[in-house]
Amino acid sequence: MDGDKTSRAPAIEDHGVIGDLRTVALVATDGTLDWLCFPHFDSPSVFGALLDREKGGHFRIHPAQDGERVVRKQFYWPDTNVLVTRFYSPEGVGELIDFMPIGKGEHIREVVRRVRVVRGHMSFLMECVPAFNYGRDEHSVRLIHGGASLLSESLTLTLATQVKLETDGRRLTSRFSLGEGQSAVFTLREGAPESCHDRVMGHEASEVLFRSTVDYWRHWLARCSYTGRWRETVHRSALVLKLMTFEPSGAIVASPTCSLPEYPGGSRNWDYRYVWIRDAAFTVYALLRIGFRDEAGAFMRWLEKRIAALPPDEPLPLMYALDGGEVPQEQELWHLAGALGSRPVRVGNGAAHQLQLDIYGELMDSVYLYNKYGAPISYDFWRHLRRLVDWVCEHWREQDESIWEVRAGKQHFVYSKMMCWVAVDRAIRLADKRSLPADRARWLKTRDAIFEEIMDRGWCSRRGAFIQSYETMALDAANLLMPLVFFLSPVDPRMLSTLDLLRKPPVQGGLTSDGLVFRYDVEATRDGVPGREGTFNLCTFWLVEAMTRASVTRPDLLDEARLTFERMLGYANHLGLFAEQTGPSGEALGNFPQALTHLSLISAAYNLDRTLGHRD
């Protein structure tokens, strides 16, 4: 039924994303819904062709004459997360509108796929092949009045439609034709009614749902306070970050996908569908910057519950499942071919039990900013936070795996030491601002000791730069955060020297390739994982911010910062979405879309625009 199975699988960047603040679906430019975990972000996949085109499962709607004669374009309905895939053919123009309804209170969990012809006439093919539980569970397909039931042991879905369906017991297919102004609607929902006739939507009912979803996103985005340069780009990043929030609890996932490779054919494939304290704290910072205080407040309430439940003297877990529980153990799914032939496919995350001391700094910085720009924190929350800061004072000298989650053993990472300094520093500032009780003498002594040690052991005079760890002379792009978190002046000679070295290409000892930044040199860093990777988008936006701040005394760096920023925007996909990394051919690599990339874009745009405004 699928006319071009022999053609290449869609690239990571050939996708748009829709969602309902509980899960997301990825839709390729060819009309294939090839990623959907249901009912939540971290649930097993129902459609996973993104990871294996043959075994992963997919839900495709495309023109019957699909091929070179059909031109495809994909865009978002303005100011929303409603996705439009348009097909241009000699016979006519068709549109596939994909969205997941969102409304106040309880709403039906469903994916709506509406096909309509706006000019001429077109014939379409529909193929729906579920693959429950990452393709591991058996399933059956049964036709019922007004659609079909997709049944597995763990989950049952209903596909409601007026279009005539056929099945071989495992897949659903249909061929249908539409004239100008006609439409067909496919609605995928949870549950297995004996008849879904009352759930079948025609054009008018789907139009009402479409408009209410559009209204939701536009009303949400209207709260954005950002009015500077690159406004549409910032808005798109904000909409992406909102899609990654789990509305029932306020948790924020790092990315809605798993095991998308950091290099084609490589083994650096990880599951990001969980709540990293670091990533979520950075997201709070970005959302606060542009006026979204409700989301920041929801995450703070989620965070307070996690910290309150933490046993005494226990380190804070670096990541959680959506329900606040433990992240599942890492599994390797060898029955799946992997995206871009990259194996193994992994679900769960083995880094969940690592020690990453930097998370305390990101957490305390976000709390400090929320207290300042959101709402004052409670005394009980402060008591829990104070306990965490005391723990940092006891343990900051230890080795850890740090922000990049290396799997080659613990080291004394400079970035982790610096973020321990941030944790204590923000706690002191917060205590002083609110006159909160604290062991100030101990905290001040610890903060100063961390600073002195970093300047003594984290600085390499031979290289003229801050290094990745005490055990190596390798560079680390994470140290670009030093001026961003006010650890060091952006124009301190040591910071400027580090910046100048890092901006050189790898062959000259740096980490930058045409303005794009590698997080570290995989050849010089012992990270315990074989293979290469692309440039790290987060680090490129950090570089933009570091150069922007350093332009106080180096005006040339402001022009360079703007050029780097706008060059980086050129690596977004056709919808303005970014994955974790950018490959050697400009392709998207890593999980997609990624919160860290989009939040750092917002922060870089905010600070660059503000600095350019002053200069103008």
Side-chain angles (χ1 to χ4, degrees), residues 15-27 33 35-37 41 74-77 80-85 96-102 110-113 213 217 236 239-240 243-244 256 575 577 592-593:
H15 290 86
V17 60
I18 59 173
D20 64 354
L21 309 184
R22 286 161 176 80
T23 191
V24 305
L26 267 63
V27 181
L33 192 161
W35 183 255
L36 174 66
C37 295
F41 293 105
Q74 198 175 53
F75 56 92
Y76 279 111
W77 202 262
T80 76
N81 281 314
V82 173
L83 187 65
V84 181
T85 305
L96 173 60
I97 300 176
D98 288 303
F99 61 96
M100 298 177 74
I102 305 178
E110 60 189 353
V111 178
V112 179
R113 312 201 74 190
T213 305
W217 288 114
R236 178 50 54 196
L239 285 163
V240 171
L243 274 181
M244 286 187 252
L575 298 168
L577 306 181
F592 173 90

Side-chain angles (χ1 to χ4, degrees), residues 56-70:
H58 64 270
F59 182 5
R60 187 176 183 195
I61 302 173
H62 65 108
Q65 68 273 39
D66 209 0
E68 293 182 2
R69 297 175 67 231
V70 176

Side-chain angles (χ1 to χ4, degrees), residues 402-518:
S402 198
I403 182 173
W404 306 132
E405 302 181 345
V406 298
R407 298 198 174 195
K410 298 176 182 178
Q411 299 179 48
H412 288 289
F413 285 99
V414 172
Y415 176 78
S416 291
K417 307 298 183 190
M418 175 185 69
M419 295 310 290
C420 286
W421 178 93
V422 171
V424 181
D425 176 74
R426 300 308 190 265
I428 294 169
R429 294 188 191 205
L430 190 53
D432 289 346
K433 184 177 180 63
R434 294 280 307 280
S435 299
L436 294 166
D439 191 348
R440 285 172 171 77
R442 183 192 188 196
W443 291 2
L444 283 166
K445 184 178 179 181
T446 301
R447 184 185 67 176
D448 293 348
I450 298 173
F451 189 93
E452 295 284 6
E453 181 174 295
I454 292 173
M455 300 305 283
D456 178 42
R457 301 182 64 188
W459 168 259
C460 177
S461 55
R462 203 167 106 194
R463 298 208 67 184
F466 287 100
I467 49 179
Q468 185 174 54
S469 71
Y470 299 166
E471 294 87 354
T472 177
M473 290 196 296
L475 292 182
D476 190 339
N479 291 333
L480 286 168
L481 249 68
M482 285 183 168
L484 277 55
V485 297
F486 307 113
F487 174 81
L488 208 60
S489 161
V491 295
D492 185 288
R494 294 193 187 193
M495 194 63 232
L496 290 175
S497 178
T498 300
L499 194 58
D500 287 339
L501 179 59
L502 192 144
R503 288 169 59 218
K504 293 180 178 180
V507 293
Q508 296 179 24
L511 294 178
T512 302
S513 173
D514 192 36
L516 276 62
V517 182
F518 293 94

Side-chain angles (χ1 to χ4, degrees), residues 538-558:
L538 165 71
C539 299
T540 302
F541 288 121
W542 280 348
L543 176 62
V544 171
E545 279 211 65
M547 291 193 294
T548 299
R549 293 172 190 259
S551 68
V552 175
T553 59
R554 290 269 304 272
D556 61 301
L557 288 179
L558 185 60

Side-chain angles (χ1 to χ4, degrees), residues 38-50:
F38 199 87
H40 299 144
F41 293 105
D42 57 359
S43 300
S45 65
V46 175
F47 300 114
L50 195 62

